[in-house]
Protein backbone atom coordinates (compact mmCIF):
# COMPACT_ATOMS: atom_id res chain seq x y z
CA UNK A 1 0.00 0.00 0.00
CA UNK A 2 1.27 3.46 -0.91
CA UNK A 3 -0.07 6.54 0.87
CA UNK A 4 2.21 8.96 -0.99
CA UNK A 5 2.29 9.78 -4.69
CA UNK A 6 4.60 7.59 -6.80
CA UNK A 7 6.64 10.75 -7.52
CA UNK A 8 7.20 11.47 -3.83
CA UNK A 9 7.99 7.82 -3.12
CA UNK A 10 10.60 7.86 -5.86
CA UNK A 11 12.09 11.09 -4.56
CA UNK A 12 12.25 9.71 -0.99
CA UNK A 13 14.02 6.57 -2.21
CA UNK A 14 16.47 8.57 -4.31
CA UNK A 15 17.25 10.80 -1.33
CA UNK A 16 17.91 7.82 0.95
CA UNK A 17 20.76 5.33 1.08
CA UNK A 18 20.92 2.99 -1.94
CA UNK A 19 19.57 -0.53 -1.65
CA UNK A 20 22.51 -2.92 -1.11
CA UNK A 21 23.17 -5.13 -4.16
CA UNK A 22 22.54 -8.38 -2.31
CA UNK A 23 19.10 -7.15 -1.23
CA UNK A 24 18.28 -6.10 -4.80
CA UNK A 25 19.17 -9.64 -5.86
CA UNK A 26 17.02 -11.16 -3.07
CA UNK A 27 14.13 -8.94 -4.06
CA UNK A 28 14.46 -10.01 -7.71
CA UNK A 29 14.58 -13.70 -6.82
CA UNK A 30 11.59 -13.32 -4.47
CA UNK A 31 9.52 -11.65 -7.21
CA UNK A 32 10.48 -14.38 -9.70
CA UNK A 33 10.06 -17.47 -7.55
CA UNK A 34 7.96 -16.90 -4.44
CA UNK A 35 4.24 -16.39 -3.91
CA UNK A 36 2.94 -13.06 -2.62
CA UNK A 37 6.10 -11.01 -3.28
CA UNK A 38 4.31 -7.84 -2.23
CA UNK A 39 4.91 -8.92 1.38
CA UNK A 40 8.64 -8.24 1.05
CA UNK A 41 10.17 -5.19 2.72
CA UNK A 42 11.31 -2.83 -0.04
CA UNK A 43 14.23 -0.48 -0.58
CA UNK A 44 13.03 2.44 1.55
CA UNK A 45 11.57 0.57 4.51
CA UNK A 46 14.57 -1.74 4.46
CA UNK A 47 16.90 1.21 4.87
CA UNK A 48 14.71 2.48 7.73
CA UNK A 49 15.00 -0.89 9.50
CA UNK A 50 18.75 -0.95 8.91
CA UNK A 51 19.17 2.58 10.29
CA UNK A 52 17.04 1.90 13.37
CA UNK A 53 18.97 -1.28 14.08
CA UNK A 54 22.31 0.53 13.72
CA UNK A 55 21.12 3.21 16.18
CA UNK A 56 19.97 0.57 18.68
CA UNK A 57 23.03 -1.67 18.06
CA UNK A 58 21.29 -4.72 19.57
CA UNK A 59 22.84 -7.86 20.97
CA UNK A 60 19.66 -9.89 20.44
CA UNK A 61 17.02 -9.39 17.77
CA UNK A 62 13.76 -11.31 17.36
CA UNK A 63 11.89 -11.26 14.07
CA UNK A 64 8.39 -12.72 13.72
CA UNK A 65 7.71 -13.39 10.01
CA UNK A 66 10.91 -14.03 8.03
CA UNK A 67 9.41 -14.56 4.54
CA UNK A 68 12.45 -14.58 2.21
CA UNK A 69 14.75 -12.88 4.73
CA UNK A 70 14.87 -9.31 3.42
CA UNK A 71 13.92 -7.56 6.66
CA UNK A 72 16.10 -9.96 8.68
CA UNK A 73 19.14 -8.92 6.65
CA UNK A 74 18.33 -5.22 7.11
CA UNK A 75 17.99 -5.67 10.89
CA UNK A 76 21.17 -7.79 11.06
CA UNK A 77 23.17 -4.81 9.77
CA UNK A 78 22.92 -3.22 13.23
CA UNK A 79 23.82 -6.32 15.30
CA UNK A 80 26.72 -6.24 17.72
CA UNK A 81 29.64 -8.45 16.57
CA UNK A 82 28.72 -11.17 19.06
CA UNK A 83 24.97 -10.57 18.57
CA UNK A 84 22.31 -12.91 17.22
CA UNK A 85 19.10 -12.56 15.27
CA UNK A 86 16.37 -15.14 15.82
CA UNK A 87 13.78 -15.23 13.07
CA UNK A 88 10.56 -17.26 12.97
CA UNK A 89 8.42 -18.34 10.04
CA UNK A 90 5.74 -20.99 9.74
CA UNK A 91 6.49 -21.69 6.04
CA UNK A 92 9.22 -24.32 5.82
CA UNK A 93 9.46 -23.96 2.03
CA UNK A 94 11.29 -20.66 2.47
CA UNK A 95 14.14 -21.96 4.66
CA UNK A 96 16.64 -22.73 1.89
CA UNK A 97 16.17 -19.43 0.09
CA UNK A 98 16.56 -17.52 3.38
CA UNK A 99 19.71 -19.47 4.25
CA UNK A 100 21.26 -18.89 0.82
CA UNK A 101 21.07 -15.11 1.29
CA UNK A 102 21.97 -15.19 5.00
CA UNK A 103 25.20 -17.00 4.05
CA UNK A 104 25.96 -14.64 1.15
CA UNK A 105 25.49 -11.63 3.46
CA UNK A 106 28.20 -12.60 5.92
CA UNK A 107 25.64 -12.65 8.78
CA UNK A 108 24.98 -16.39 8.32
CA UNK A 109 26.51 -17.47 11.63
CA UNK A 110 24.54 -14.82 13.55
CA UNK A 111 21.10 -15.64 12.15
CA UNK A 112 19.09 -18.48 13.70
CA UNK A 113 16.04 -19.67 11.75
CA UNK A 114 13.07 -21.14 13.60
CA UNK A 115 10.32 -22.90 11.68
CA UNK A 116 6.83 -23.13 13.11
CA UNK A 117 4.06 -21.11 14.68
CA UNK A 118 5.51 -18.02 16.33
CA UNK A 119 3.15 -18.34 19.29
CA UNK A 120 4.58 -21.81 20.03
CA UNK A 121 8.20 -20.81 19.49
CA UNK A 122 8.45 -17.47 21.31
CA UNK A 123 7.90 -18.97 24.81
CA UNK A 124 10.76 -21.45 24.18
CA UNK A 125 13.34 -18.68 23.58
CA UNK A 126 15.17 -17.91 26.80
CA UNK A 127 16.46 -14.50 25.75
CA UNK A 128 15.73 -10.85 26.52
CA UNK A 129 15.64 -9.14 23.14
CA UNK A 130 16.83 -5.58 22.55
CA UNK A 131 14.91 -5.29 19.29
CA UNK A 132 11.79 -7.12 18.10
CA UNK A 133 10.22 -6.87 14.64
CA UNK A 134 6.61 -8.09 14.37
CA UNK A 135 5.55 -8.85 10.78
CA UNK A 136 3.73 -12.23 10.61
CA UNK A 137 -0.02 -13.04 10.81
CA UNK A 138 -1.93 -9.79 11.38
CA UNK A 139 -4.80 -11.54 13.20
CA UNK A 140 -2.31 -12.64 15.84
CA UNK A 141 -0.59 -9.31 16.51
CA UNK A 142 -2.28 -8.84 19.93
CA UNK A 143 -1.10 -12.32 20.96
CA UNK A 144 2.43 -11.67 19.64
CA UNK A 145 2.58 -8.53 21.77
CA UNK A 146 1.71 -10.37 24.97
CA UNK A 147 4.13 -13.20 24.11
CA UNK A 148 7.08 -10.92 23.33
CA UNK A 149 6.59 -8.62 26.33
CA UNK A 150 7.91 -11.50 28.49
CA UNK A 151 11.09 -11.42 26.40
CA UNK A 152 11.93 -7.74 26.80
CA UNK A 153 13.67 -5.48 29.31
CA UNK A 154 13.49 -1.72 29.92
CA UNK A 155 14.68 0.02 26.76
CA UNK A 156 13.79 -2.84 24.39
CA UNK A 157 12.28 -1.64 21.13
CA UNK A 158 9.33 -3.34 19.45
CA UNK A 159 8.71 -2.49 15.77
CA UNK A 160 5.35 -3.52 14.32
CA UNK A 161 4.76 -3.50 10.57
CA UNK A 162 1.62 -2.93 8.46
CA UNK A 163 -0.27 -1.32 11.32
CA UNK A 164 -2.20 1.01 8.95
CA UNK A 165 -3.26 -2.01 6.86
CA UNK A 166 -3.68 -0.10 3.59
CA UNK A 167 -5.73 2.53 5.46
CA UNK A 168 -8.40 0.03 6.55
CA UNK A 169 -7.91 1.07 10.19
CA UNK A 170 -9.82 4.30 9.52
CA UNK A 171 -12.52 2.87 7.25
CA UNK A 172 -15.84 1.28 8.32
CA UNK A 173 -14.88 -2.24 9.30
CA UNK A 174 -16.77 -5.50 8.86
CA UNK A 175 -16.52 -7.56 12.05
CA UNK A 176 -15.71 -10.59 9.90
CA UNK A 177 -12.54 -8.84 8.74
CA UNK A 178 -10.41 -10.42 11.46
CA UNK A 179 -7.13 -8.87 10.35
CA UNK A 180 -8.42 -5.30 10.54
CA UNK A 181 -10.24 -6.00 13.82
CA UNK A 182 -7.03 -7.41 15.33
CA UNK A 183 -4.92 -4.49 14.13
CA UNK A 184 -7.40 -1.99 15.63
CA UNK A 185 -7.14 -3.81 18.95
CA UNK A 186 -3.37 -4.02 18.60
CA UNK A 187 -2.88 -0.31 17.90
CA UNK A 188 -5.11 0.54 20.87
CA UNK A 189 -3.14 -1.82 23.13
CA UNK A 190 0.20 -0.30 22.15
CA UNK A 191 -1.18 3.16 22.88
CA UNK A 192 -2.75 2.23 26.22
CA UNK A 193 -0.48 -0.42 27.74
CA UNK A 194 1.48 1.37 30.49
CA UNK A 195 4.50 -0.90 29.93
CA UNK A 196 5.36 0.73 26.58
CA UNK A 197 5.60 4.19 25.00
CA UNK A 198 4.53 4.19 21.37
CA UNK A 199 4.73 6.28 18.22
CA UNK A 200 3.10 5.14 15.00
CA UNK A 201 5.26 6.22 12.06
CA UNK A 202 3.55 6.58 8.65
CA UNK A 203 6.32 4.64 6.93
CA UNK A 204 5.01 2.61 3.99
CA UNK A 205 2.03 0.62 5.38
CA UNK A 206 2.60 1.94 8.94
CA UNK A 207 5.49 1.03 11.23
CA UNK A 208 4.99 1.43 14.97
CA UNK A 209 7.93 2.03 17.26
CA UNK A 210 7.31 1.07 20.89
CA UNK A 211 9.81 1.40 23.70
CA UNK A 212 9.53 -0.80 26.80
CA UNK A 213 9.62 1.32 29.97
N1 LIG B 1 9.35 -9.70 7.31
C1 LIG B 1 9.28 -10.11 5.91
C2 LIG B 1 7.87 -10.31 5.42
C3 LIG B 1 7.04 -11.24 6.27
S1 LIG B 1 5.57 -11.74 5.44
C4 LIG B 1 9.92 -9.01 5.06
O1 LIG B 1 9.73 -7.86 5.41
O2 LIG B 1 10.54 -9.31 4.02
C5 LIG B 1 4.75 -12.64 6.68
C6 LIG B 1 5.37 -13.99 6.99
O3 LIG B 1 4.75 -14.46 8.18
C7 LIG B 1 5.12 -15.06 5.91
O4 LIG B 1 6.35 -15.55 5.41
C8 LIG B 1 4.34 -16.16 6.66
O5 LIG B 1 4.74 -17.48 6.31
C9 LIG B 1 4.68 -15.88 8.12
N2 LIG B 1 3.69 -16.35 9.09
C10 LIG B 1 2.33 -16.35 8.97
N3 LIG B 1 1.75 -16.87 10.06
C11 LIG B 1 2.76 -17.20 10.91
C12 LIG B 1 2.82 -17.80 12.20
N4 LIG B 1 1.70 -18.15 12.84
N5 LIG B 1 4.02 -18.00 12.77
C13 LIG B 1 5.16 -17.65 12.12
N6 LIG B 1 5.18 -17.10 10.90
C14 LIG B 1 4.00 -16.88 10.29
CA1 LIG C 1 5.37 -6.30 6.38
Amino acid sequence: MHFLSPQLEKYIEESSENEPELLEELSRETHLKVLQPRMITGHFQGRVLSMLSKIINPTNILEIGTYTGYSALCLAEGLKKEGELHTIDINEELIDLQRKYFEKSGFGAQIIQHTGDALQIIPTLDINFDLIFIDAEKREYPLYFHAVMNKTKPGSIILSDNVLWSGKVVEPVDEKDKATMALLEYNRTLKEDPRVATVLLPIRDGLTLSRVL
Side-chain angles (χ1 to χ4, degrees), residues 39-41 65-67 71 89-91 116-118 135-137 140:
M39 297 205 294
I40 196 172
T41 286
T66 321
Y67 190 51
S71 49
D89 205 286
I90 202 164
N91 185 352
D117 183 355
D135 194 21
E137 173 54 57
E140 293 186 347

Side-chain angles (χ1 to χ4, degrees), residues 36 39-42 45 49 63-72 87-92 94 98 114 116-119 121 133-138 140 144 161-162 204:
Q36 295 186 286
M39 297 205 294
I40 196 172
T41 286
Q45 189 175 351
L49 294 177
E63 176 179 66
I64 309 176
T66 321
Y67 190 51
T68 55
Y70 191 108
S71 49
T87 184
I88 309 174
D89 205 286
I90 202 164
N91 185 352
E92 58 187 23
L94 298 171
Q98 295 160 2
H114 300 268
D117 183 355
L119 289 172
I121 291 171
F133 181 53
I134 299 182
D135 194 21
E137 173 54 57
K138 308 310 160 196
E140 293 186 347
Y144 295 152
D161 196 27
N162 306 102
R204 212 170 65 148

Side-chain angles (χ1 to χ4, degrees), residues 17-27 39-58 61-63 65-66 68-80 85 87 98 101-102 105-108 110-111 131 133 135 159 161 204 207:
E17 195 183 1
N18 289 338
E19 185 175 34
E21 251 172 57
L22 182 71
L23 293 179
E24 270 183 56
E25 190 186 324
L26 169 56
S27 182
M39 297 205 294
I40 196 172
T41 286
H43 169 185
F44 171 65
Q45 189 175 351
R47 290 306 86 206
V48 173
L49 294 177
S50 155
M51 184 69 84
L52 288 172
S53 185
K54 284 174 181 163
I55 293 168
I56 297 162
N57 191 218
I61 303 177
L62 173 63
E63 176 179 66
T66 321
T68 55
Y70 191 108
S71 49
L73 286 174
C74 297
L75 295 168
E77 291 177 33
L79 270 179
K80 285 214 164 62
L85 182 149
T87 184
Q98 295 160 2
Y101 281 89
F102 293 164
S105 73
F107 294 113
Q110 288 171 281
I111 302 181
L131 174 59
F133 181 53
D135 194 21
L159 300 173
D161 196 27
R204 212 170 65 148
L207 179 71

